[in-house]
Amino acid sequence: MSTRVKPKKKTPETVNGAARYRKRWVPWLWVGAPIVIVFIFYIYPFINTFILSFTDADPLSGRGDPVGLQNYMAMFKDPTFWTATLNSVVYALIVVPLMTMIPLLLAVLVKEWVPGIGIFRSLYYIPAVSSLVVISLGWQAMLKDDGWLNVLLKNIGVVDQPVPFLTGRWWLLISAMLITLWQGIPYYMLMYMAALANVDRSLYEAAEIDGANAFQRFFHVTIPGVRLMMALVATLVSIGCLKIFTEVQLLSNGTGGIGGRSQTLTMYIRGEGLDPLYGSLGAGSAAAVFLFFITVGFIVLSQRLSDER
């Protein structure tokens, strides 16, 4: 009958390097700092927002009395809230699939070495490192009624009147979507290129020997090989789209379009929670909590769809 030998306890002589002189509590210093930062800037603000959503807190003082579910009931009865919710959800439903697939297609096209591909990658990545404010203002100048795009469309006879890129409800949202795609595609393309580098080349060779064409290799080798990265990209883009703010804010000069019909949930939260005259921090907090649960729902849905696939 074999007996189990207990491992010998390490003595100071058997411990290597500086660990010989390190106290047991020292590693907690490295772990404690990130925990404190996360608690101060993430956990505490969320808990405070959740508590404020049940009060009539003032935007300036931040203090108020408990009102129960009154903020939520008023929010659900507000047509402007549902318009903002619809805009944000439509924004995510359109941008997430495009942002998930277009960077992958571009990554497949540029992963092979061709003359000048390094220059192309560098130039194409410029939008990803540019200021979103500057990009939005540039697109605003291009898309306004007397901007060069409308002038070009009129000169070539495509339209008789300027296209309301910045005033029409859906045109404004589409313009914001184009900015989001234009800036985000290069970033996620690099992520896909890193994932494609880990796909075994022998799988492509085996598929080619079996007679698979380029499309079949893409759907049966490439997509399964980067499915985890696709799930990550879909999750990140979902979060970004549901909290979209800068693009619509700058394109509409802070109005959210005519009558606020193009405003998103984040713009609604800002208007409700920070307006010093008519706003209510409690109402804005209630909308923020609602946005949080919508975001969690989108993340869970994307993960479920990824698992099923």
Side-chain angles (χ1 to χ4, degrees):
M1 182 176 179
S2 60
T3 58
R4 187 175 180 180
V5 179
K6 294 183 179 180
K8 295 182 179 179
K9 185 179 180 180
K10 290 186 176 181
T11 62
E13 291 75 13
T14 60
V15 178
N16 295 327
R20 180 181 308 175
Y21 308 100
R22 184 184 301 150
K23 302 295 183 181
R24 291 178 177 269
W25 49 267
V26 170
W28 288 99
L29 294 177
W30 300 95
V31 179
I35 291 177
V36 172
I37 293 175
V38 169
F39 180 82
I40 293 176
F41 293 101
Y42 293 94
I43 298 178
Y44 171 74
F46 173 77
I47 296 175
N48 188 52
T49 299
F50 185 77
I51 295 174
L52 288 174
S53 67
F54 298 99
T55 69
D56 58 355
D58 182 80
L60 297 179
S61 66
R63 295 187 296 270
D65 299 321
V67 295
L69 297 175
Q70 181 177 332
N71 290 326
Y72 290 94
M73 295 174 64
M75 179 182 68
F76 291 139
K77 294 178 181 179
D78 186 1
T80 305
F81 164 76
W82 290 113
T83 298
T85 301
L86 176 62
N87 292 338
S88 295
V89 172
V90 170
Y91 202 102
L93 291 177
I94 294 177
V95 173
V96 171
L98 294 177
M99 192 74 85
T100 303
M101 291 305 301
I102 294 178
L104 175 58
L105 295 174
L106 289 175
V108 171
L109 292 176
V110 304
K111 71 173 182 177
E112 301 296 340
W113 184 90
V114 294
I117 194 62
I119 299 176
F120 170 78
R121 291 173 180 172
S122 301
L123 293 177
Y124 197 75
Y125 195 69
I126 290 178
V129 296
S130 302
S131 170
L132 183 56
V133 175
V134 175
I135 291 175
S136 299
L137 292 176
W139 278 73
Q140 182 191 44
M142 180 179 67
L143 297 174
K144 60 185 181 180
D145 289 348
D146 58 348
W148 70 262
L149 181 58
N150 268 316
V151 172
L152 176 63
L153 294 176
K154 290 177 66 177
N155 289 338
I156 63 179
V158 176
V159 296
D160 297 327
Q161 299 294 329
V163 180
F165 291 113
L166 304 180
T167 54
R169 176 186 178 183
W170 297 113
W171 278 115
L172 178 57
L173 290 175
I174 291 173
S175 302
M177 293 175 192
L178 292 176
I179 296 176
T180 301
L181 291 169
W182 187 68
Q183 189 189 38
I185 285 176
Y187 175 78
Y188 293 111
M189 182 185 71
L190 289 185
M191 294 177 61
Y192 277 126
M193 291 180 66
L196 289 172
N198 294 322
V199 179
D200 193 348
R201 295 294 304 177
S202 63
L203 298 177
Y204 291 100
E205 296 172 358
E208 189 173 1
I209 293 174
D210 290 339
N213 56 36
F215 291 99
Q216 292 172 329
R217 293 196 298 271
F218 176 78
F219 285 105
H220 296 287
V221 178
T222 301
I223 289 183
V226 299
R227 64 185 183 276
L228 295 179
M229 182 60 71
M230 292 181 68
L232 175 61
V233 170
T235 300
L236 295 176
V237 176
S238 298
I239 296 173
C241 288
L242 289 174
K243 64 178 185 179
I244 201 72
F245 177 83
T246 305
E247 292 91 326
V248 181
Q249 175 78 3
L250 293 178
L251 289 179
S252 64
N253 289 321
T255 63
I258 298 177
R261 295 180 303 167
S262 300
Q263 68 174 320
T264 59
L265 262 176
T266 50
M267 297 178 67
Y268 177 85
I269 293 170
R270 180 181 180 274
E272 288 291 319
L274 300 180
D275 191 320
L277 297 178
Y278 306 103
S280 169
L281 189 58
S285 299
V289 172
F290 179 81
L291 176 59
F292 169 78
F293 285 109
I294 286 184
T295 304
V296 172
F298 261 80
I299 295 174
V300 173
L301 178 62
S302 64
Q303 294 295 330
R304 288 288 181 88
L305 292 177
S306 176
D307 292 341
E308 290 178 2
R309 289 171 185 169

